[in-house]
């Protein structure tokens, strides 16, 4: 078994996997990596199952020291990673020798980085997953939903592999301003015509009021013209519109039901891209049919093969 000692951390550094499924009828949310694409690539670099446990590092402020020579992988945002002061680019596996320190300083491109280890990091499964959901006190190193803390130990026991790098053609482009695909549905027909124009023809600013439950977007106030709603189940990526007219895109730690009207839901690929946006970044929406979204998703999954 190999170990890493955490030398620095923040409440935004969490142990995650693909999430918790089959429990929403109990009121338990999904959790899991906000940028599932980068999590999967971190595991691909090491020959792991694509949903193996990784460390999700949001905005930096995280550091570990190797207790033994080890092989790790890094994907997702460029958070100024350094090994003993030497820069380390993402989208590759790398060696960390005994006593060396890997640290993440601040965002240079994107918001969330994912660090993987051979076989995935070890933690108890709660309801089938180690995904950390702080609000529900589930998952993480102790199973109680506690973020990673200084002086804690990360362990893994997988076999190291050869060094790998993700081909440039498969690296997600975190600089891309391509519109986010939105599958229409729910109550979209009950918004005003002007609101529907604004949804797809204006840009939206990512608000600083964003966390793993949802990302609030600022722009034209959308007007819902339908009647009162009864709370209903809400999927990952649902775009809710509260009374102030500013949409909220629901993420992995969302509540399981909600009573605000919805425009529809972002596709999983679009949601992964949104999870890498920083406050103040601007995004756009584009409508997409469910069949097209499904085909794009399958095509992307084949890139891991």
């Amino acid at each position: 078994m190999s170990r890493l000692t955490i030398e620095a951390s923040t409440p935004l550094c969490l142990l995650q996997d693909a999430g918790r499924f089959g429990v929403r009828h109990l009121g338990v949310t999904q959790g899991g990596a906000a940028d599932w694409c980068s999590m999967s690539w971190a595991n691909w670099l090491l020959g792991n199952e694509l949903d193996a446990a990784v460390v999700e590092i949001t905005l930096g402020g995280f550091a570990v020291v190797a207790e033994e020579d080890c092989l790790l992988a890094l994907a997702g945002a460029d958070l100024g990673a350094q090994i003993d002061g030497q820069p380390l680019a993402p989208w590759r596996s790398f060696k960390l020798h005994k006593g060396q320190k890997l640290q993440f300083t601040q965002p240079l491109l994107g918001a969330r980085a994912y660090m993987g280890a051979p076989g995935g990091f070890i933690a108890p499964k709660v309801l089938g997953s180690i995904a950390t959901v702080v609000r529900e006190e589930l998952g993480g190193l102790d199973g109680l939903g506690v973020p990673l803390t200084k002086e804690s130990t990360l362990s893994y026991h997988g076999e190291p592999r050869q060094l790998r790098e993700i081909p440039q053609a498969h690296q997600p482009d975190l600089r891309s301003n391509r519109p986010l695909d939105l599958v229409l549905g729910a109550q979209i027909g009950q918004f005003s015509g002007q609101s529907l124009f604004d949804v797809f023809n204006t840009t939206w600013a990512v608000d600083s009021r964003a966390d793993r439950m949802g990302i609030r977007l600022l722009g034209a106030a959308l007007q819902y013209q339908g009647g009162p709603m009864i709370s209903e189940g809400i999927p990952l990526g649902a775009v809710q519109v509260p009374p102030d007219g500013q949409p909220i895109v629901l993420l992995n730690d969302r509540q399981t039901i909600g009573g605000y009207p919805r425009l529809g839901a972002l596709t999983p690929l679009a949601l992964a891209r949104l999870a890498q946006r920083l406050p103040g970044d601007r995004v756009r929406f584009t409508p997409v049919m469910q069949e097209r979204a499904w085909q794009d998703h399958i095509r992307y999954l084949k890139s891991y093969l």
Side-chain angles (χ1 to χ4, degrees):
M1 183 178 296
S2 297
R3 296 167 299 162
L4 301 166
T5 298
I6 299 174
E7 189 172 274
S9 189
T10 77
L12 302 180
C13 299
L14 307 168
L15 208 57
Q16 296 291 357
D17 56 16
R20 214 165 260 109
F21 297 95
V23 291
R24 280 199 292 167
H25 66 290
L26 302 174
V28 177
T29 196
Q30 173 182 337
D35 178 359
W36 65 274
C37 297
S38 293
M39 175 200 72
S40 298
W41 281 120
N43 282 313
W44 178 89
L45 286 165
L46 298 165
N48 295 344
E49 295 293 327
L50 297 182
D51 60 355
V54 299
V55 176
E56 179 180 85
I57 304 153
T58 303
L59 304 180
F62 186 74
V64 294
V65 174
E67 299 298 326
E68 298 87 20
D69 289 352
C70 58
L71 178 69
L72 304 173
L74 181 61
D78 184 349
L79 300 183
Q82 301 175 357
I83 297 178
D84 288 348
Q86 297 301 310
L88 173 67
W91 310 114
R92 69 195 67 226
S93 56
F94 59 94
K95 293 180 180 178
L96 194 66
H97 297 293
K98 181 178 180 179
Q100 285 190 310
K101 180 168 74 172
L102 168 65
Q103 63 179 345
F104 298 81
T105 56
Q106 61 185 357
L108 301 179
L109 178 63
R112 292 177 169 90
Y114 293 85
M115 183 180 75
F121 290 107
I122 299 172
K125 286 190 174 184
V126 180
L127 296 176
S129 170
I130 63 89
T132 306
V133 181
V134 176
R135 184 186 72 256
E136 296 182 348
E137 299 183 351
L138 295 176
L141 282 178
D142 58 2
L144 300 176
V146 178
L148 297 173
T149 58
K150 183 179 180 180
E151 298 182 356
S152 296
T153 300
L154 294 167
S155 303
Y156 65 92
H157 52 55
E159 292 295 326
R161 303 256 184 143
Q162 291 184 338
L163 293 175
R164 301 176 77 180
E165 183 173 348
I166 297 170
Q168 183 70 36
H170 291 317
Q171 293 181 17
D173 183 5
L174 302 188
R175 291 187 174 87
S176 173
N177 290 320
R178 183 166 60 86
L180 303 173
D181 288 339
L182 175 66
V183 178
L184 307 183
Q187 293 79 36
I188 191 165
Q190 296 173 329
F191 285 87
S192 70
Q194 181 63 52
S195 294
L196 294 181
F197 178 87
D198 291 338
V199 168
F200 300 110
N201 292 278
T202 61
T203 61
W204 299 88
V206 175
D207 192 5
S208 59
R209 293 171 293 175
D211 56 23
R212 285 179 45 86
M213 285 188 67
I215 293 178
R216 183 182 293 270
L217 301 175
L218 301 178
L222 304 180
Q223 296 182 346
Y224 173 67
Q225 299 177 329
M229 290 180 53
I230 298 175
S231 292
E232 58 187 13
I234 45 178
L236 181 63
V239 183
Q240 284 190 330
V241 181
D244 67 0
Q246 303 298 283
I248 301 173
V249 182
L250 300 181
L251 299 185
N252 300 65
D253 292 2
R254 69 199 181 280
Q255 67 275 24
T256 56
I257 61 173
Y260 290 143
R262 288 177 284 143
L263 299 171
L266 292 187
T267 68
L269 289 171
L271 199 62
R273 291 171 49 217
L274 179 62
Q276 292 292 359
R277 296 295 188 175
L278 294 166
D281 286 350
R282 304 196 71 86
V283 299
R284 296 177 67 93
F285 294 121
T286 189
V288 64
M289 298 298 292
Q290 185 173 352
E291 180 63 26
R292 163 70 184 281
W294 175 254
Q295 292 172 356
D296 290 346
H297 191 75
I298 296 300
R299 189 179 305 112
Y300 183 82
L301 291 178
K302 290 180 178 179
S303 64
Y304 295 111
L305 298 178

